[in-house]
């Protein structure tokens, strides 16, 4: 079974630039999560999709972050403009349905300089 | 407040000893309790999980216990080995908008000293 795919693996940008991350979940998984993991901390949920609808985006800084999941499969997360404090690993995860085992991608390590 | 609280934040044990990490949760409707292991620079991976209809689950050297009354669940690792050194996260689903979101604890850095 193919796992959750994410790209790119690494990204370095200057502050105020924009960046986009891509995620392809496990086939058939209805729920998709984007987490932000700052070094030394646990994953923090940014947004959760159920198919192509948003279940929860209460912790997404909507002035600079946006995410979409067109057709209920792939998802993109965008940051515009980036700030230094956005430096983190952005993890995508998927599960068959909400509240059960989540499978993580390898993440995208973002460094904002 | 936090949906999931995890303790301790760091734990050092001698090889061969046992390690116990505890999490408390707030949503009494939670019914699924996973534990993830994250090695340095890698993705979190599920190592064991438990559902609310059982009190304990074992898988070789790893076990999870659940106390629904007290709203806490614990990870137990016996006969620890150096390769057990990693950060461990508990998680619990929190009811939200007719669905569940999987929220994580802040993690426990386990160091197994040879």
């Amino acid at each position: 079974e193919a796992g959750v795919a994410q790209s790119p693996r690494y990204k370095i940008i200057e502050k105020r630039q924009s960046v986009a991350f891509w995620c392809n979940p496990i086939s058939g998984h209805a729920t998709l999560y984007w987490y932000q993991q700052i070094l030394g901390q646990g994953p923090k949920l940014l947004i959760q999709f159920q198919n192509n609808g948003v279940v929860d985006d209460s912790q997404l800084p909507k002035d600079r972050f946006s995410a979409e999941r067109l057709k209920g499969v792939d998802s993109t997360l965008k940051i515009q403009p980036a700030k230094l404090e956005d430096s983190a690993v952005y993890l995508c995860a998927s599960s068959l349905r909400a509240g059960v085992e989540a499978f993580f991608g390898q993440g995208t390590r973002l460094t904002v300089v | 407040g936090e949906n999931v609280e995890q303790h301790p934040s760091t734990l050092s044990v001698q090889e061969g000893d046992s390690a116990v990490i505890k999490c408390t949760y707030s949503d009494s409707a939670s019914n699924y309790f996973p534990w993830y292991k994250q090695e340095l620079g890698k993705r979190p991976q599920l190592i064991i999980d438990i559902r609310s209809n059982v009190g304990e689950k074992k898988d070789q050297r790893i076990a999870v216990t659940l106390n629904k009354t007290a709203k806490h669940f614990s990870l137990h690792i016996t006969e620890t080995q150096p390769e057990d050194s990693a950060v461990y996260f508990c998680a619990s689903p929190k009811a939200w908008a007719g669905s569940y979101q999987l929220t994580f604890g802040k993690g426990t850095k386990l160091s197994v000293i040879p």
Side-chain angles (χ1 to χ4, degrees):
Chain A
E1 175 181 89
V4 177
Q6 287 188 248
S7 67
R9 288 293 309 279
Y10 307 93
K11 191 75 177 179
I12 301 174
I13 61 171
E14 295 183 348
K15 59 184 179 184
R16 292 186 288 275
Q17 285 188 322
S18 62
V19 64
F21 312 128
W22 173 82
C23 173
N24 177 237
I26 293 173
S27 178
H29 280 195
T31 306
L32 186 147
Y33 309 85
W34 281 104
Y35 288 90
Q36 179 193 59
Q37 187 175 27
I38 293 173
L39 188 64
Q41 298 182 18
K44 172 190 166 186
L45 182 67
L46 293 176
I47 189 167
Q48 177 180 340
F49 292 94
Q50 184 70 19
N51 297 309
N52 61 346
V54 175
V55 172
D56 176 28
D57 62 357
S58 58
Q59 298 195 83
L60 189 73
K62 297 180 190 64
D63 58 333
R64 298 184 300 106
F65 286 63
S66 64
E68 60 182 8
R69 190 183 183 196
L70 298 176
K71 300 180 182 178
V73 183
D74 293 3
S75 177
T76 56
L77 176 69
K78 297 179 182 177
I79 308 175
Q80 181 180 11
K83 292 186 175 181
L84 296 177
E85 58 260 37
D86 298 332
S87 294
V89 175
Y90 291 84
L91 293 162
C92 177
S94 71
S95 61
L96 272 173
R97 60 184 185 279
V100 298
E101 180 183 358
F103 295 83
F104 284 86
Q106 295 207 6
T108 296
R109 182 178 297 277
L110 174 67
T111 302
V112 183
V113 297
Chain B
E2 294 287 336
N3 184 55
V4 180
E5 293 192 5
Q6 183 173 345
H7 299 280
S9 57
T10 60
L11 180 60
S12 290
V13 299
Q14 289 292 136
E15 182 177 356
D17 287 351
S18 296
V20 181
I21 304 169
K22 181 177 176 179
C23 279
T24 58
Y25 61 97
S26 59
D27 189 346
S28 56
S30 295
N31 58 4
Y32 173 69
F33 306 92
W35 283 94
Y36 285 80
K37 176 183 180 181
Q38 188 175 31
E39 295 177 12
L40 191 63
K42 297 189 176 180
R43 74 186 86 186
Q45 292 198 297
L46 182 78
I47 55 171
I48 195 166
D49 56 13
I50 192 169
R51 297 208 169 270
S52 58
N53 58 344
V54 297
E56 183 177 4
K57 182 178 178 180
K58 281 186 177 180
D59 182 4
Q60 299 182 1
R61 296 186 298 108
I62 295 172
V64 54
T65 58
L66 171 64
N67 184 328
K68 286 205 70 181
T69 304
K71 291 191 205 172
H72 67 72
F73 57 110
S74 299
L75 176 70
H76 304 255
I77 306 174
T78 59
E79 300 172 33
T80 53
Q81 299 169 5
E83 52 265 37
D84 295 330
S85 295
V87 180
Y88 292 81
F89 296 98
C90 62
S92 180
K94 175 184 172 186
W96 184 271
S99 184
Y100 287 96
Q101 56 174 241
L102 200 60
T103 54
F104 284 78
K106 293 188 175 181
T108 297
K109 183 176 180 181
L110 173 65
S111 300
V112 179
I113 304 163

